[in-house]
Amino acid sequence: MVVLVNPTRTTADERQERMEVAGSPLEADQSLMQTFYANHDGLSGVELVVARFSQALLPVEAIITFEVYAEGQSTPLRSVSLQADTLEHNEHLRVSWEPIADSASNAYTLSISTPEDLSMGFWQTQTEAYAYGGIQQGDTILSGDLWFVTYYDYNWLDALSDAFTVTGRWLPYLAALLLVLFAPGWALTHLLGLNAHQSLYGRLYLIAALSMIFWPLLILWSGTLSLNAGGAVVWVLVALLVVWAILQRPRQRSLRLRFGTPELVMTVVMILIVLARLHDIRNVVLPLWVDSVHHSVITDIISHLGGVPTTYEPYMPVGNFHYHFGFHSLCAALTWFSDLPSEQAVLLMGQVMNIMAPLAAYYLAEQLTCSRWTGVLAAVVTGALSYLPAYLVTWGRYTELAGLVLLPAVLLLTRSALDRPRRLLPAALATASLCLVHYRVFVLYLLALPFLLLAKKNLGARAGRLLATGLTGALLILPWILRFALAVLPTAGTTYGSWSPVSGSNAFSTGLITSYWFGTLLWIALAAVVVAVLNRRWAMVGLGLWGGLWLLAANLRWIGLPDTWFLDNPAVMIALWLPVAVLDAWLGVYLLQWLYRVIPWRSSRTYAAATLTVVSLMLTCLGLWHHLDIINPVTVLAEPEDLQALEWAGENTPEDSLFLVNSMTWQGTIHAGSDAGWWLPLVAQRDTTLPCILYHQDDGSYRDAVNALANAVENAPSPDDPELLALLQEAGVTHVFVGTKAGPMQPAELDYSENYTAIYVSGPVRIYAFTPVSP
């Protein structure tokens, strides 16, 4: 088992990934040295980029020696020699050595030497790019740093230690999370009569789902009535709900929660998944990639307003707010019960959604199959074996994740309402809230309704109840519907243009469904549908057909209709984990039960439970280890150095400053930030030239002005281009922020320009005062 052998993997540690020039050729009497810092024990290698100045063959006997020295030591800890003639120009050279056990929190020097002059060096920067070291050749200290990535060996026990450490970082916010995700739902289970006999984890999920239903509706009606639901109000409201629920308990029949071997295994599985999901963000200082910025902006607006906003003020002069805000209402509630700023609340609540995803799969599987073991395996597939939804953290796709987490509850509450009219209100609340959490997931829910209607007889009565549920849900979000009808739809043409997808955005990416183990899981799910057809397990057949309808809805051209950006292939592919997990789990339990039926053992149930226990725990450990480094470094816009610079900007620049930030073309004509400067409005409360991507919802001159300036910066031949300087002056730019990831504005040019004065320098991060002097 994985926990017995304590496997090791090689993981990146320090990164300096800027390179501007090929360093000087190596000389026999001039060692090239780069100092660096190790964050972890087990330092085991470094990666460099080779620069060859001539294609002439090098002598076969030419050797390059790499030595690693501890700070202040003259004897190398490790030494590796390589033949120079085997190295190619621009090759990424990985030099590995025996791990240094106690390397954490120590400084080291990498020395590169050769016994003879070589027409070969390594790529580097010309300016300071690494805050914790520098470059030197012989006795000469050079400006800049080598391009390098250091590596360390990381084992299972190291990962557990880091997971417990990061758990301690978030533990102070546990009480706030419980108030947000369990207090309202617990009260609603009593109010709505949903506290029936059920499994422990099924009930925990339902309580959390009801809380997810509660907050968006509270925010909607608070905004509609011009009330602020935050501050003391939310504390009083939640306290009243909890007290009311406590008083109701003696009046209702006692609830018996089953706790057997499946629940025991599920407990262990969930503990490991919680540790893994928190471990994923152990080095994350700000939420990742593009979507996280506008999620944080919306959260911050709701947090201060205490209700659904009508505009994006004060972050940008864009009105007509119509973004789905269910996830943001949860994050805002978390800020009300804690001291977390909005961006950190988004990061934590996003990972909580990732932790709840296995519970959602458990609930759907258990309810469809009446098997708790199927639920356990579905949780294992979701939380450990599938890279989705865990990978969504690297994109910040938290709103769709929240919708998918809520989806099983909405489906099953709707199914219950079709059979029992007294369950109409819970189903209406759920459908209404799902529409506020994520529009695309709401469409996926609508695609399931034919299967719910046709599952049993009495089609007419069931259709009537479904209609009543929908109408009641519409009344619950009537202010939102009216906003769309009166304000959003009339301007949709100028805001969004065509309903057709942007060129290439609806491509069928095989990478999304074949990465890691997901392709195998998908094939197993397809096999499960075939087995279900052969055995007339119509619930599983319907689940498979439902997933097929998702793909059809994203590819309407298959039936002669035009595709639309509203529901595209990427959105569907990253949602397939939910039906896939349930189908895989059902097939696994079905095959095991079949096996023990054909084997003449008296205690087949006992053997089956033991097998499922061992298999579930082994697969959980293997899957979590396989997906341990789920964060894509490309999507990390902010490093610790960036966060320090952002905080410095908030303390040391005028409040009316306007920062030029690096950008990139994102989708179509939309531009996104390419480094941590994009976070200035949230972290430092300083305005930037580029707001979050929802600026494209403006239908007037503001959107055009943002795009024009971003295009000018991205396409300028030089930061000193007269036309660019004039545009920056006209826009009122006072400062420039360049983060670790940078973009079109680079220190290599800005450091030597008279138009930009560096007022903050830390490794690759710069803050410049914009002081134009060029004509």
Side-chain angles (χ1 to χ4, degrees):
M1 288 178 61
V2 65
V3 292
L4 295 180
V5 299
N6 192 23
T8 299
R9 65 194 302 153
T10 301
T11 303
D13 187 9
E14 289 287 88
R15 294 176 178 272
Q16 195 303 96
E17 296 179 298
R18 288 187 187 169
M19 57 181 185
E20 299 148 7
V21 295
S24 300
L26 296 174
E27 299 179 15
D29 58 347
Q30 299 282 324
S31 295
L32 177 65
M33 291 172 282
Q34 171 73 50
T35 53
F36 62 91
Y37 182 82
N39 294 296
H40 301 86
D41 289 332
L43 178 66
S44 62
V46 65
E47 183 178 344
L48 305 167
V49 181
V50 176
R52 289 190 63 164
F53 299 95
S54 170
Q55 295 303 313
L57 294 178
L58 295 172
V60 175
E61 65 275 8
I63 297 295
I64 300 179
T65 300
F66 301 85
E67 295 176 319
V68 181
Y69 293 84
E71 185 177 32
Q73 300 296 316
S74 59
T75 303
L77 296 174
R78 299 291 186 269
S79 180
V80 178
S81 294
L82 301 175
Q83 287 184 252
D85 67 312
T86 62
L87 304 181
E88 300 291 337
H89 184 58
N90 289 336
E91 175 184 348
H92 282 247
L93 173 64
R94 182 87 161 264
V95 182
S96 300
W97 52 76
E98 185 70 20
I100 301 173
D102 55 352
S103 56
S105 303
N106 290 317
Y108 293 91
T109 298
L110 173 69
S111 175
I112 307 172
S113 60
T114 177
E116 56 185 294
D117 294 350
L118 297 177
S119 59
M120 175 184 293
F122 295 92
W123 283 92
Q124 64 179 69
T125 63
Q126 291 179 300
T127 57
E128 169 69 12
Y130 179 66
Y132 311 107
I135 191 172
Q136 181 174 337
Q137 191 157 21
D139 296 327
T140 304
I141 297 176
L142 307 177
S143 61
D145 294 277
L146 288 177
W147 186 105
F148 71 89
V149 179
T150 60
Y151 293 90
Y152 64 100
D153 280 10
Y154 197 53
N155 60 45
W156 176 266
L157 295 180
D158 293 333
L160 276 179
S161 176
D162 283 349
F164 281 116
T165 299
V166 72
T167 300
R169 165 188 165 190
W170 296 109
L171 196 58
Y173 306 105
L174 178 60
L177 282 171
L178 293 176
L179 287 173
V180 173
L181 284 174
F182 288 96
W186 183 46
L188 287 175
T189 57
H190 295 282
L191 178 64
L192 299 174
L194 298 175
N195 60 336
H197 175 73
Q198 55 192 278
S199 68
L200 171 63
Y201 284 98
R203 181 167 176 78
L204 285 175
Y205 165 75
L206 186 59
I207 289 173
L210 289 171
S211 294
M212 292 179 66
I213 290 167
F214 170 81
W215 291 108
L217 292 172
L218 173 68
I219 296 299
L220 173 63
W221 284 100
S222 295
T224 302
L225 300 175
S226 299
L227 300 175
N228 189 328
V233 174
V234 72
W235 283 95
V236 172
L237 178 61
V238 171
L240 290 174
L241 287 172
V242 171
V243 170
W244 184 88
I246 293 173
L247 295 175
Q248 292 301 307
R249 285 179 61 82
R251 303 180 184 180
Q252 301 184 11
R253 62 188 180 92
S254 60
L255 175 66
R256 295 175 298 160
L257 292 176
R258 291 176 286 179
F259 192 92
T261 304
E263 284 71 31
L264 180 61
V265 174
M266 183 68 174
T267 299
V268 177
V269 167
M270 286 305 302
I271 289 174
L272 292 174
I273 289 174
V274 168
L275 292 174
R277 295 294 81 86
L278 293 179
H279 180 275
D280 290 341
I281 57 172
R282 69 193 187 281
N283 298 321
V284 176
V285 297
L286 289 171
L288 305 173
W289 208 220
V290 173
D291 289 5
S292 295
V293 178
H294 61 262
H295 294 332
S296 299
V297 164
I298 295 172
T299 294
D300 198 59
I301 295 173
I302 293 175
S303 177
H304 287 90
L305 188 64
V308 62
T310 56
T311 73
Y312 288 98
E313 297 283 0
Y315 288 97
M316 53 185 175
V318 176
N320 209 3
F321 177 89
H322 56 275
Y323 198 87
H324 40 230
F325 58 89
F327 170 74
H328 314 91
S329 67
L330 296 172
C331 299
L334 184 56
T335 67
W336 294 337
F337 290 114
S338 70
D339 60 353
L340 281 173
S342 297
E343 63 274 9
Q344 297 299 324
V346 166
L347 179 61
L348 178 56
M349 188 59 73
Q351 287 308 87
V352 170
M353 291 296 103
N354 249 323
I355 291 167
M356 284 185 60
L359 291 176
Y362 173 97
Y363 185 74
L364 183 60
E366 182 203 34
Q367 293 294 308
L368 291 181
T369 66
C370 299
S371 166
R372 290 175 291 158
W373 275 117
T374 304
V376 172
L377 282 183
V380 171
V381 174
T382 300
L385 298 183
S386 172
Y387 84 102
L388 293 167
Y391 191 79
L392 296 181
V393 62
T394 207
W395 291 328
R397 295 293 291 268
Y398 291 134
T399 50
E400 183 169 352
L401 175 58
L404 292 168
V405 167
L406 184 58
L407 183 56
V410 182
L411 283 173
L412 294 167
L413 286 173
T414 301
R415 186 182 70 169
S416 179
L418 297 183
D419 296 329
R420 289 172 283 183
R422 61 187 179 90
R423 293 290 176 85
L424 187 149
L425 180 58
L429 287 165
T431 54
S433 192
L434 180 63
C435 187
L436 301 178
V437 172
H438 203 275
Y439 303 137
R440 285 171 170 170
V441 177
F442 185 76
V443 172
L444 302 184
Y445 160 75
L446 295 178
L447 295 176
L449 296 182
F451 300 99
L452 295 180
L453 281 174
L454 299 174
K456 295 182 180 180
K457 298 179 181 179
N458 303 321
L459 179 60
R462 292 165 66 82
R465 293 167 191 160
L466 180 61
L467 179 61
T469 299
L471 291 175
T472 305
L475 287 174
L476 290 170
I477 57 170
L478 184 60
W480 199 244
I481 294 175
L482 290 176
R483 179 179 297 192
F484 264 80
L486 300 177
V488 177
L489 294 180
T491 61
T494 53
T495 301
Y496 295 102
S498 170
W499 282 97
S500 299
V502 176
S503 177
S505 65
N506 198 33
F508 194 88
S509 172
T510 55
L512 287 175
I513 58 176
T514 58
S515 295
Y516 295 92
W517 294 339
F518 196 75
T520 300
L521 297 174
L522 185 58
W523 281 111
I524 294 173
L526 294 174
V529 174
V530 174
V531 173
V533 170
L534 296 176
N535 290 271
R536 299 183 180 181
R537 303 297 178 93
W538 303 122
M540 294 299 102
V541 174
L543 187 63
L545 292 176
W546 181 41
L549 274 183
W550 296 7
L551 291 172
L552 179 60
N555 297 277
L556 294 175
R557 63 184 181 279
W558 293 350
I559 56 174
L561 298 175
D563 290 346
T564 172
W565 55 262
F566 186 76
L567 184 64
D568 56 19
N569 278 306
V572 167
M573 292 178 198
I574 64 175
L576 284 174
W577 59 267
L578 182 59
V580 165
V582 177
L583 288 166
D584 287 356
W586 172 80
L587 183 61
V589 173
Y590 175 83
L591 292 177
L592 186 63
Q593 290 174 340
W594 173 83
L595 176 64
Y596 281 109
R597 281 199 304 268
V598 299
I599 298 177
W601 289 347
R602 294 182 179 180
S603 302
S604 60
R605 290 175 62 89
T606 302
Y607 283 115
T611 301
L612 285 167
T613 298
V614 173
V615 168
S616 297
L617 296 179
M618 285 187 63
L619 290 178
T620 300
C621 293
L622 288 168
L624 292 178
W625 181 249
H626 183 67
H627 299 106
L628 189 66
D629 294 316
I630 202 70
I631 299 293
N632 185 342
V634 172
T635 66
V636 180
L637 297 184
E639 299 286 357
E641 304 97 308
D642 293 300
L643 188 58
Q644 295 168 10
L646 292 170
E647 293 171 349
W648 186 92
E651 297 170 357
N652 296 277
T653 60
E655 292 183 2
D656 60 351
S657 300
L658 177 63
F659 279 77
L660 171 66
V661 296
N662 275 303
S663 63
M664 58 185 174
T665 302
W666 177 234
Q667 292 178 357
T669 60
I670 303 173
H671 296 265
S674 62
D675 69 16
W678 210 20
W679 284 96
L680 277 161
L682 282 153
V683 179
Q685 292 77 54
R686 296 295 181 268
D687 289 337
T688 61
T689 54
L690 184 70
C692 70
I693 61 170
L694 297 185
Y695 78 86
H696 77 278
Q697 292 183 354
D698 177 72
D699 58 358
S701 60
Y702 177 72
R703 176 179 60 187
D704 296 336
V706 170
N707 283 337
L709 185 56
N711 280 320
V713 173
E714 292 168 27
N715 298 312
S718 163
D720 296 320
D721 177 64
E723 291 186 11
L724 176 63
L725 294 175
L727 283 174
L728 297 184
Q729 283 185 287
E730 182 182 353
V733 170
T734 60
H735 295 80
V736 180
F737 187 103
V738 179
T740 54
K741 289 299 178 71
M745 306 294 283
Q746 292 276 355
E749 295 178 290
L750 297 175
D751 282 353
Y752 302 103
S753 170
E754 294 181 339
N755 298 301
Y756 308 89
T757 304
I759 59 175
Y760 179 94
V761 177
S762 178
V765 184
R766 304 283 195 280
I767 296 177
Y768 301 92
F770 179 54
T771 54
V773 295
S774 296

